[in-house]
Amino acid sequence: MGQACGHALLCRSQPPSSEIRGQQVFLRPEESSAPALNTRQSTALSEQLQDALLRLAAVVDARSLRAALRDSIQELLPSTECVCYYFLEGDSRLLSEDPPHELPPEGKIRSIVEQLKRCQCAGLPLPELPEKYRICLAAPLPAHRRAVVIPILDQERNKAIAVLLVGCSPLSDQDEVHLNMLEKHASVACVRVRAVQSSYQRPPPSPSPIQSHNALLNLSVSDQDYCELDHNILQLCGELFDLDAASLQLKVINYLQQQTHSQCCCLLLVSEDNHQLFCQVVGDKVLEEEISFPLMFGRFGQVVEKKKSITLQDISAEERRQLSSMLGCEISSMLCVPVVSRATGQVVALACAFNKQGGQRHTEADEHAIQHCFCYTSTVLTSTLAFQKEQKLKVECQALLQVAKNLFTHLDDVSVLLQEIIVEARNLSDAEICSVFLLDRVSHELVAKVFDGGVVSDEEKEFRIPADQGIAGHVATTGQILNIKDAYSHPLFYRGVDDSTGFRTRNILCFPIKDENNEVIGVAELVNKMNGPWFNRFDEDLATAFSIYCGISIAHSLLYKKVHEAQFRSHLANEMMMYHMKVSEEEVCKLLVTGIQPVREIHPCFAEFTYTPRSLLDDTTPLGILSMFEDMGFINTYKIDLRTLARFCLMVKKGYRDPPYHNWTHAFSVSHFCYLLYKNLGLTNYLEDIEILALFVSCMCHDLDHRGTNNSFQVASQSVLAALYSSEGSVMERHHFAQAIAILNTFGCNIFEKFSRKDYQRVLDLIRDIILATDLAHHLRIFKDLQKMADDGFNPKSRNHRSMLLCLLMTSCDLSDQTKGWKTTRKIAELIYKEFFSQGDLEKAMGNRPSEMMDREKAYIPELQISFMEHIAMPIYKLLSELFPGATELYERVAANREQWTKVSHKFTIRGLPSNNSLDFLDQEYELLQSQGAFGSDDHCLNGCLEDEEGGRAQ
């Protein structure tokens, strides 16, 4: 970047702007007329071409330009024998100094030059060439040699301002490309040199910016001094390309020492936050560790603020002593000049010159020389420092990213993570020792179980110190980083440990580790900087950034530990639950001892819609499930092991809790209705066998572990189930499915164990979708699609139709109690509202307002039942009868029950349930109407449903 400075400045801006060209160092490839290079060619020539162009970029006079052109040609064209250079003098004279002569005004060479194009020929006329170049350029040349005439053009004037005569081998395409680029940059250099020469030969038409500045400062500098300064500064600028910050400062400081005749110079750089000064180079020495001190150090802060120079007489004895310590010598004179950025107008550095030769004091001319220097070099200096900072920041970011990667791979073990933090912190900061303490808020102590070198063994005791004592305690309390350059002189440091161990603590960097809430959760302590006298500002910044990663990783590791512990507790709870649900071999044998009973032996009407499954004794229901499995052909079709099936049925039965309604009796009734649909509606013509099996198993499991509360209650109470499933919706239904899977995964309970992988996955997917369909919200969402399916006609080949039909069948099974006789329907209403009102009481205890049907003080049961049957139950069975004509009687039974609720509603004079929680009083009206023949003969409709037995078992 330094070469750009040399090109852009151009001799004090004295020549008119129209005469100053050549501001750009490198031309873009698209500006060249050369053919495009392929990747391989570009790679091959890049280094040679860059060197040549950089060489041209640094020239500031005609002599260095001739040398640069000669060297560049010989480097780019290795077969070159000679190079003759002519430079335009005046309007038409082309002069050469090696040897001194002028190109003839007429002749072949002049004719080629006037064409303004490069020409390659078999030789040039002998008389037009000086004797030195005749051997390699004069015609005729052998076939393997050529003479090349290269005019260097001023593009604005369209005129040759220099000419090169080159003797070389015939030019290749690659040579042509080289020369195209070289000509462009040679043109820039020639224009620049001509402009510099013109500025030396005539006075400027107007004062330069520097002269105007000096006039304001009342400085008197002659034009001869200006020319000398310009010449020197341009040479300096030409040397500043491709340098790192330290090397660039060395160049500039050496220049200042020469110009001001000082024993030593340095640059005090101002930090970006304007809080401190730092020095990297003093005289001809690059410091191993930069020196920094507060910006308000004595009068230097005033220099930055007021932008005015100071001398030795302006500083205090203490400041003088500190500067002498930094320089390593006594100070007899000093000049401190602010360096102002031309871009921002802010002070970016202080240029200091010390001990002028001869014991003299520094003068205004010295101040001018320093200002003149930075007028041209401040931009390249600041950009180089910024680039250095960016590189350092890049390395820091890469290191921190690697640290983050390393840390986040050890979240499963806090001890291993802390050990990794120690290693990474020590490596990042080049510290000798590192310790990490975690804050125990309960005991208000800092705890260290991991030390530099390993983890405390189980036999050893962890190290604990009070959280408000010592250096670590101070950092934990204040939450601020603490950088101690001399540990023994710090009041918080306890040196007793050093005295007893022989270890010497020189310096300490202690920083807090905070969580995402900015609360201190730990402290890290770095001891003894290895590659410097103490920890510096960069180490502090690095530690601050590092602590963020530490805090996140430690917090997540502790959270991971808690989650892991919660998982273990959950597994333990599941094991305990499964233990208490465990089915013994004795129970399995007892269930199978009599064999599977034919369904007609259970009851002659067991396979008819009029049968009430709630009339079956509770202990015989598992046997009823086995009988239905057998009658539907599942056991033979899918080769289900009888002991596995028996164990599965008993496990499912034990998986139900005992709320008033959503219990095993309800699950058995729903499963029985599925069996009735299979027997009476010919489901095999509509569904595949595996879909019917999935439907039946879903009916058994659809309310597993129901707690007597609905989805809304789970979400409102923020229950564990809501935490697990609320984001997906259908909280309870997802829990029921999860419990079904848990039973299937229990040893000896997987009735699908002989399924192929494909069928196994499919049956589980079907069970999941069917159980989720028991959420009435899901039913209401798809009802229009179900109606459309019924209107258009069911297509058994359509997977979507079969999927929707399964959902409809599941819902009709779930509400099947409404298709039974009045006494069953009335009893079910009693059980349902007992469960609803229990939930309402819980909601009131939580401070929430329950819905009307859950509130025992507001619910009017007949009205709620009529509304439910009209808007939910009757449309479902109406739709079912449209798809299955054999289901018409179901719809008619639901409609009759709805009518009965209307007839008995006048006897309901209370809200909620009576004090005895029974609706038996409604049967008196029903029996009266029945005795009058209002319902016809209905003896068959209550098969086995004895009222007192039903009431007892339904609980």
Side-chain angles (χ1 to χ4, degrees), residues 370-557:
I370 294 175
Q371 292 172 332
H372 181 266
C373 170
F374 287 105
C375 180
Y376 295 103
T377 60
S378 62
T379 301
V380 69
L381 174 64
T382 53
S383 60
T384 303
L385 289 170
F387 177 74
Q388 175 184 265
K389 182 176 181 180
E390 290 296 324
Q391 289 296 101
K392 195 172 184 180
L393 184 62
K394 178 182 177 182
V395 172
E396 176 187 345
C397 290
Q398 290 174 337
L400 287 174
L401 287 174
Q402 185 61 41
V403 165
K405 178 181 177 182
N406 293 343
L407 294 185
F408 283 101
T409 56
H410 298 288
L411 295 181
D412 54 338
D413 190 323
V414 177
S415 296
V416 175
L417 173 63
L418 294 177
Q419 184 65 30
E420 190 67 25
I421 288 175
I422 286 175
V423 172
E424 296 293 348
R426 194 179 60 221
N427 292 341
L428 280 174
S429 60
D430 290 311
E432 185 176 357
I433 290 178
C434 177
S435 301
V436 175
F437 300 86
L438 293 184
L439 180 61
D440 185 344
R441 295 190 181 278
V442 176
S443 62
H444 196 59
E445 292 176 318
L446 289 172
V447 185
K449 195 172 183 179
V450 178
F451 296 93
D452 205 349
V455 182
V456 175
S457 63
D458 293 336
E459 293 78 16
E460 297 179 28
K461 192 175 181 180
E462 60 192 11
F463 181 68
R464 288 176 172 265
I465 60 174
D468 56 356
Q469 293 184 13
I471 293 172
H474 174 79
V475 172
T477 303
T478 63
Q480 302 295 321
I481 192 170
L482 186 60
N483 189 356
I484 301 174
K485 296 183 177 180
D486 184 0
Y488 286 177
S489 65
H490 198 279
L492 292 175
F493 180 73
Y494 173 67
R495 59 182 297 174
V497 176
D498 281 15
D499 294 338
S500 61
T501 61
F503 182 81
R504 175 170 173 77
T505 303
R506 301 192 310 275
N507 42 74
I508 297 174
L509 178 62
C510 190
F511 57 91
I513 298 173
K514 301 180 181 180
D515 60 13
E516 57 268 24
N517 298 320
N518 204 36
E519 293 184 357
V520 176
I521 60 174
V523 172
E525 192 173 79
L526 300 168
V527 177
N528 292 352
K529 178 76 171 177
M530 299 292 289
N531 62 344
W534 49 67
F535 296 100
N536 57 25
R537 178 61 181 271
F538 179 76
D539 293 317
E540 294 179 20
D541 293 340
L542 200 60
T544 302
F546 175 69
S547 68
I548 296 173
Y549 291 103
C550 293
I552 294 173
S553 59
I554 290 175
H556 281 74
S557 182

Side-chain angles (χ1 to χ4, degrees), residues 655-850:
Y656 279 87
R657 302 192 184 198
D658 197 29
Y661 178 70
H662 289 98
N663 47 37
W664 165 247
T665 303
H666 167 66
F668 178 76
S669 298
V670 172
S671 303
H672 176 260
F673 193 79
C674 177
Y675 166 75
L676 294 180
L677 295 178
Y678 172 82
K679 296 293 289 185
N680 294 281
L681 300 184
L683 290 187
T684 53
N685 298 323
Y686 294 80
L687 299 170
E688 298 176 359
D689 288 344
I690 195 172
E691 293 171 331
I692 299 173
L693 172 62
L695 177 62
F696 187 75
V697 174
S698 298
C699 288
M700 291 177 61
C701 303
H702 80 283
D703 274 332
L704 271 170
D705 196 41
H706 200 292
R707 284 93 188 280
T709 52
N710 61 13
N711 291 333
S712 299
F713 179 84
Q714 300 300 325
V715 175
S717 63
Q718 299 180 343
S719 68
V720 174
L721 296 182
L724 284 172
Y725 305 117
S726 62
S727 62
E728 301 173 275
S730 302
V731 174
M732 291 304 301
E733 288 73 22
R734 293 186 187 277
H735 176 58
H736 303 325
F737 172 68
Q739 292 300 105
I741 295 300
I743 292 175
L744 285 170
N745 289 335
T746 302
F747 178 77
C749 294
N750 190 356
I751 59 175
F752 307 127
E753 60 185 351
K754 295 181 180 179
F755 279 36
S756 67
R757 184 182 184 88
K758 180 179 178 182
D759 286 345
Y760 187 81
Q761 185 60 53
R762 187 181 178 203
V763 77
L764 293 187
D765 289 343
L766 286 168
I767 292 172
R768 179 197 62 218
D769 295 341
I770 294 170
I771 290 179
L772 290 179
T774 60
D775 185 351
L776 280 178
H778 175 272
H779 168 75
L780 295 175
R781 284 196 300 269
I782 68 169
F783 187 80
K784 288 185 178 179
D785 295 328
L786 290 170
Q787 187 65 60
K788 186 176 186 303
M789 178 183 70
D791 295 341
D792 295 343
F794 179 79
N795 180 9
K797 295 182 180 180
S798 169
R799 191 160 190 164
N800 184 49
H801 275 203
R802 296 202 308 274
S803 176
M804 287 196 294
L805 179 60
L806 285 169
C807 294
L808 175 63
L809 294 175
M810 182 68 242
T811 305
S812 64
C813 292
D814 200 15
L815 305 182
S816 59
D817 284 317
Q818 304 302 322
T819 68
K820 306 303 178 183
W822 160 253
K823 289 188 178 181
T824 300
T825 300
R826 186 268 303 161
K827 190 65 180 180
I828 294 305
E830 180 182 304
L831 299 176
I832 287 175
Y833 284 102
K834 284 173 70 175
E835 190 171 296
F836 280 2
F837 295 159
S838 294
Q839 175 179 321
D841 294 341
L842 291 174
E843 289 177 313
K844 290 178 180 178
M846 291 165 50
N848 297 333
R849 178 183 297 177

Side-chain angles (χ1 to χ4, degrees), residues 268-269 271 275-279 290-298 300 322-323 326 350 485:
L268 301 180
L269 305 172
S271 64
H275 288 162
Q276 66 174 354
L277 297 170
F278 60 96
C279 181
E290 67 182 30
I291 301 173
S292 62
F293 39 87
L295 181 62
M296 300 316 294
F297 171 59
F300 291 106
Q322 293 189 33
L323 288 174
M326 182 181 77
L350 303 180
K485 296 183 177 180

